[in-house]
Amino acid sequence: NASSLVLATEATGISSGANFTTQPVVHVVDTSSHIVAASAGLVVVAAATDPSMYTLSGTTEVPVVRGVATFHDLSLSPAGPGGLTFYLNGTWTEPNNLTQANNTNASMVNMSFPFRVNQMLRIAPGQPSSIALWPAPPTTVPAGVPLTSPPLMATLRDLDGVPTSIPMAEFTISSPTCPPMTCLVGRLTVPALDGSALFPDVA
């Protein structure tokens, strides 16, 4: 008879909004840790460990086939420290937090709820979708005076507004009214480091 769930394959390659590179696989096992092949009709459910903070997308309920539940298209967002929880359908209705210590493989079986297993993980920022300029330029500035308190910084951000760590060669800043009206001066093209660029003397 089935006695617990085991996370046989952990999710890896986790970036915000993108399908995991390695999708999780959950086994239904007996008290001797043997896969229970006679498990027709069982369903394993995946959930974000903290659904108030993170969104899990994809097919979150998969049938158990000969003791194995294989997920195919799961993704998490936004970026940050998160977690996945897997449980047998009908055995747990409120997957909201972790209360047990993790083992060295970052997964565990909660012995108080044997049909539940968790994986702690870190969600990397997603692909860049916008550029944020910080701080926001003031509405009026003296002509020719560099914006140096603090200087402008441009940062790539993903769909959730989280700064990405994807490097670019350079950033260029320009004024939409130049020419014939207001133009920017200073170093308008600067190298980017890990998706960010500092404009030290733009005026």
Side-chain angles (χ1 to χ4, degrees):
N1 294 328
S3 65
S4 63
L5 297 183
V6 171
L7 186 56
T9 301
E10 294 185 346
T12 61
I14 302 167
S15 297
S16 178
N19 287 0
F20 306 153
T21 302
T22 301
Q23 294 285 325
V25 178
V26 177
H27 290 175
V28 179
V29 300
D30 60 19
T31 55
S32 299
S33 298
H34 297 141
I35 293 177
V36 179
S39 51
L42 299 180
V43 174
V44 172
V45 182
T49 302
D50 187 351
S52 66
M53 294 288 294
Y54 298 97
T55 299
L56 179 65
S57 301
T59 305
T60 57
E61 298 187 16
V62 299
V64 178
V65 178
R66 298 189 61 80
V68 178
T70 302
F71 293 85
H72 299 282
D73 59 354
L74 295 182
S75 65
L76 269 171
S77 62
L84 292 170
T85 297
F86 305 91
Y87 62 99
L88 206 58
N89 193 22
T91 64
W92 191 34
T93 58
E94 296 182 358
N96 54 5
N97 56 52
L98 295 176
T99 58
Q100 305 292 324
N102 299 313
N103 65 24
T104 56
N105 293 323
S107 63
M108 70 177 187
V109 174
N110 184 333
M111 299 311 295
S112 299
F113 300 89
F115 292 110
R116 184 194 314 178
V117 64
N118 303 301
Q119 178 187 351
M120 299 303 294
L121 44 82
R122 176 165 290 277
I123 309 161
Q127 292 296 313
S129 64
S130 63
I131 297 176
L133 195 61
W134 185 92
T139 55
T140 59
V141 293
V145 178
L147 302 173
T148 58
S149 299
L152 294 178
M153 175 176 285
T155 303
L156 284 173
R157 298 182 181 268
D158 66 12
L159 284 172
D160 299 303
V162 177
T164 72
S165 58
I166 300 173
M168 289 187 65
E170 58 187 20
F171 276 121
T172 298
I173 190 171
S174 62
S175 170
T177 61
C178 178
M181 299 175 64
T182 304
C183 293
L184 297 175
V185 295
R187 280 173 283 180
L188 305 184
T189 298
V190 296
L193 179 64
D194 292 332
S196 294
L198 186 68
F199 295 89
D201 57 358
V202 170

